[in-house]
Amino acid sequence: MSRSGFARAWDVWDVVVIGGGITGAGILLEAARRGLKVLLVEQRDFAWGTSSRSSKLVHGGLRYLKQGQFGLTRESVHEREHLLRQAAGLVEPQSFAFGDYAGRKPGKRTFLAGLAIYDRMAGQRARHYYGREEFAALAPNIATDGLRGGMVYTDAKTDDARLVLRVLQEARQYGAVALNYMAVESLLCDGEETKGVLLRDGLSGARHEVRARMVINATGAWADRLRAATQAQPSASTSTSSAGAAALRRLRPLRGSHLVLPAWRLPLAQAVSLMHPADGRPVFAYPWEGVTLVGTTDVDHHHDLAQEAAISRAECDYLMAALHAQFPQLNLCDADIIATYAGVRPVIDSGKADPSKETRDHALWLENGLLTVTGGKLTTFRVIALDVLKLAAARFPELEGRLEPQPVFAPSSPLRYAPDLPPGQAQRLQGRYGVQAQNLVDAAQAGELTIVPGTETIWAQLRWAARCEDVCKLEDLLLRRTRIGIQLHGGGIDILPRIRAICQAELGWDDPRWEQEQAAYLALWQAHYSVPKQ
Ligand SMILES: Cc1cc2nc3c(=O)[nH]c(=O)nc-3n(C[C@H](O)[C@H](O)[C@H](O)COP(=O)(O)OP(=O)(O)OC[C@H]3O[C@@H](n4cnc5c(N)ncnc54)[C@H](O)[C@@H]3O)c2cc1C
């Protein structure tokens, strides 16, 4: 459906979902597969918000056990197991190693007790304790002073932006419409009831009024702004003001940042989890898509949410200090860092002094007809979506008896024999593109079924994204459709000529447009994805 045509598709939509992160995408899918007419709008690109900047783990969250959040952990472990089965190739198992050092907490007994609960929730036994020599072989390069042995356990990882895109793709198969660069400028109200939204097309500047039986605010860390609009003086249209949002604030934006290092510089047989020497917070280093990710931090984010978040120098030093302590002989330094990225957690504010002690559970509020959902985790997007539909069900009698969980993705037929694909790619593409995986492979031109060096992406993914995946800006292609922007030095500057040769015609951009996009992308990368100066 065209960007202008959607407004005439229905006089009244059943649901308008605001926000194209994993929460909005999950709601879109669960509503569409139950027959509702649903529209999702995202002010920037799909997954532009927190959902492309997470730690990319599909996990129960061992540290939530420590905080007594058993319900959240159980729910997350169950969802992890579903995703491992139903989204293979996109959600993959990942083993973690945690060193047991003399005098350091948590000790062997406490950690193993936590892992036993974790395993029990998943109905498996994936934990092992290894003695010093064996553990040092399993986790090469780690500090051996005081090492007594270590625990190994299993969780899972994903590509967060691709998870959002796969969920959106699946929702579209049920007739849902999802538009990027389409911002909600204000809410349309009838008395005190929210009845629709006023949209502004970020590409053309056009405005559209859209009516809906229910408007759902799934804008993550931005959620307070729209909530404030419903509490303003009732009028035909109430705009999203930051002053009103401050008065009604329920969220505590917490920034989390990561470093990306080349796999050869920080080689890991498996993920390593450790307690930061300065404050005892958990930090992970893990192999991901051909690079090593290190994260994360957890600090109050006081910057304007209209600007992309970026790692601070202090956060960079904090993560490097964790690496120096855990991998002392590698002598890692700033020059080893390929890229950085930062995201803002939508965390419910309970006023805790330590940000890391705030709950990571999701919350729902129905205020003047606007249903807000925020908080939560990538891992639990299906649970969150079903909770939203349960709360919305009073307005949708057609949902009665239809709110049982369904498999995350409908099964799709496996790729035909594709001998040219590098090993492991068939499943990887199947997980990421579902029923479209075969079309992607068929669209590849000579040499495009090979891997972009330094990543696990194949060149054909770039062509496919440029042709079929709503790429509006070069940053969409390099930071979210593929992750080349955080996997290669300088955001992939050295391979931009080849990317241009593959993608420019597919995107329909002339030379001036390409050059303008390239300049904008490289400036964005410098400002938000590079290493902050000392
Ligand atoms: C550093 C970090 C690490 C994390 N690690 C993990 C992890 O390993 N595993 C895990 O399960 N979870 C993790 N999380 C949590 C998880 O990433 C978030 O809970 C999740 O991504 C939130 O998704 P969301 O859709 O609610 O928000 P977002 O992804 O932020 O989406 C909200 C969207 O709403 C859009 N929007 C805002 N206002 C408007 C408007 N007016 N009109 C239209 N659109 C609008 C925004 O542009 C944004 O794209 C992590 C979070 C952080 C920050």
Side-chain angles (χ1 to χ4, degrees):
M1 189 171 298
S2 74
R3 287 183 71 81
S4 51
F6 81 93
R8 293 186 299 277
W10 304 103
D11 285 341
V12 181
W13 292 79
D14 289 324
V15 178
V16 170
V17 181
I18 313 170
I22 192 62
T23 307
I27 298 165
L28 191 77
L29 172 56
E30 295 303 333
R33 66 171 21 148
R34 288 170 176 81
L36 299 186
K37 295 175 298 214
V38 213
L39 168 68
L40 177 146
V41 287
E42 161 57 48
Q43 63 178 355
R44 308 282 281 260
D45 186 27
F46 301 126
W48 172 82
T50 312
S51 299
S52 58
R53 304 157 194 273
S54 77
S55 297
K56 310 178 197 323
L57 300 177
V58 172
H59 64 156
L62 266 176
R63 76 188 180 90
Y64 308 131
L65 276 183
K66 195 174 152 215
Q67 294 166 0
Q69 297 186 48
F70 293 96
L72 177 60
T73 311
R74 186 180 306 107
E75 196 168 75
S76 308
V77 167
H78 288 169
E79 289 306 295
R80 179 191 74 192
E81 295 304 300
H82 285 300
L83 283 162
L84 279 168
R85 277 195 302 276
Q86 292 156 12
L90 175 56
V91 178
E92 293 287 333
Q94 174 64 57
S95 62
F96 282 76
F98 181 84
D100 171 25
Y101 290 92
R104 281 206 219 153
K105 286 188 177 167
K108 175 180 170 184
R109 279 175 62 161
T110 314
F111 206 93
L112 283 175
L115 288 179
I117 301 173
Y118 212 51
D119 271 355
R120 200 187 161 103
M121 286 172 172
Q124 64 184 17
R125 190 190 163 101
R127 65 189 185 280
H128 295 281
Y129 185 88
Y130 294 93
R132 181 187 155 94
E133 304 310 322
E134 247 181 316
F135 186 78
L138 286 168
N141 301 310
I142 62 161
T144 47
D145 275 1
L147 184 70
R148 294 189 292 216
M151 279 69 71
V152 172
Y153 62 98
T154 306
D155 246 320
K157 63 183 173 185
T158 189
D159 176 336
D160 46 6
R162 288 290 346 166
L163 181 64
V164 173
L165 292 161
R166 175 78 203 273
V167 175
L168 290 175
Q169 178 190 310
E170 199 83 0
R172 283 169 165 154
Q173 284 168 226
Y174 293 100
V177 177
L179 299 169
N180 54 355
Y181 295 98
M182 190 68 77
V184 168
E185 206 168 61
S186 60
L187 300 173
L188 304 176
C189 300
D190 186 357
E192 292 195 350
E193 273 297 290
T194 307
K195 292 289 179 197
V197 290
L198 177 65
L199 301 174
R200 184 174 186 281
D201 187 327
L203 304 179
S204 68
R207 287 192 165 75
H208 308 277
E209 275 195 9
V210 171
R211 309 242 152 216
R213 289 164 70 193
M214 174 143 258
V215 177
I216 297 178
N217 171 14
T219 56
W222 291 262
D224 280 339
R225 282 182 74 109
L226 281 165
R227 287 185 48 248
T230 66
Q231 320 277 317
Q233 285 300 312
S235 64
S237 157
T238 53
S239 69
T240 59
S241 85
S242 49
L248 284 156
R249 200 170 75 86
R250 281 194 172 162
L251 290 177
R252 179 174 182 180
L254 293 178
R255 188 173 65 246
S257 302
H258 289 80
L259 307 177
V260 186
L261 284 91
W264 67 267
R265 198 60 189 91
L266 179 47
L268 298 173
Q270 53 210 311
V272 169
S273 66
L274 61 127
M275 295 300 171
H276 197 283
D279 59 7
R281 278 192 60 258
V283 174
F284 302 100
Y286 40 101
W288 180 80
E289 292 278 303
V291 292
T292 298
L293 298 187
V294 181
T296 175
T297 57
D298 208 8
V299 296
D300 282 303
H301 182 72
H302 299 297
H303 300 277
D304 180 359
L305 284 173
Q307 303 296 322
E308 259 181 69
I311 192 171
S312 67
R313 186 64 236 177
E315 288 171 280
C316 192
D317 292 341
Y318 173 90
L319 293 174
M320 286 307 275
L323 292 179
H324 291 147
Q326 185 70 80
F327 305 99
Q329 66 272 41
L330 291 180
N331 294 319
L332 295 164
C333 64
D334 271 14
D336 294 313
I337 303 170
I338 297 176
T340 64
Y341 65 88
V344 182
R345 295 181 184 85
V347 170
I348 316 302
D349 190 359
S350 68
K352 297 239 174 11
D354 178 355
S356 297
K357 296 225 161 78
E358 296 282 17
T359 177
R360 303 299 145 112
D361 221 340
H362 62 281
L364 308 178
W365 304 293
L366 190 53
E367 297 160 311
N368 298 343
L370 179 72
L371 198 165
T372 296
V373 50
T374 188
K377 299 168 65 188
L378 197 74
T379 308
T380 49
F381 72 89
R382 187 176 63 150
V383 175
I384 298 174
L386 288 174
D387 281 354
V388 166
L389 291 191
K390 283 175 198 157
L391 187 58
R395 291 220 185 150
F396 297 100
E398 61 267 47
L399 288 181
E400 203 181 314
R402 303 189 59 201
L403 290 172
E404 284 306 304
Q406 295 183 22
V408 186
F409 300 130
S412 53
S413 42
L415 276 177
R416 287 193 305 270
Y417 178 60
D420 294 340
L421 275 177
Q425 283 287 337
Q427 181 157 16
R428 184 176 172 278
L429 295 178
Q430 191 86 49
R432 280 166 173 69
Y433 300 91
V435 292
Q436 298 293 351
Q438 188 66 54
N439 294 337
L440 182 153
V441 171
D442 293 346
Q445 296 194 2
E448 290 178 5
L449 293 181
T450 57
I451 284 178
V452 178
T455 76
E456 290 176 6
T457 303
I458 58 168
W459 294 97
Q461 288 181 254
L462 287 153
R463 180 179 297 284
W464 181 255
R467 187 180 294 179
C468 298
E469 292 200 309
D470 305 305
V471 170
C472 302
K473 301 185 178 184
L474 190 57
E475 59 163 294
D476 306 342
L477 181 70
L478 299 180
L479 291 168
R480 291 170 290 274
R481 302 302 177 283
T482 68
R483 315 311 298 275
I484 284 170
I486 56 170
Q487 291 165 323
L488 298 181
H489 277 287
I493 190 167
D494 293 344
I495 60 164
L496 283 179
R498 179 152 184 206
I499 293 175
R500 181 177 187 168
I502 294 172
C503 298
Q504 185 176 342
E506 298 282 0
L507 290 163
W509 294 351
D510 57 16
D511 288 343
R513 171 79 190 272
W514 181 277
E515 273 139 33
Q516 179 196 328
E517 288 290 338
Q518 182 165 314
Y521 165 68
L522 292 174
L524 175 86
W525 192 90
Q526 267 312 324
H528 300 278
Y529 295 87
S530 62
V531 183
K533 296 218 163 28
Q534 289 279 0

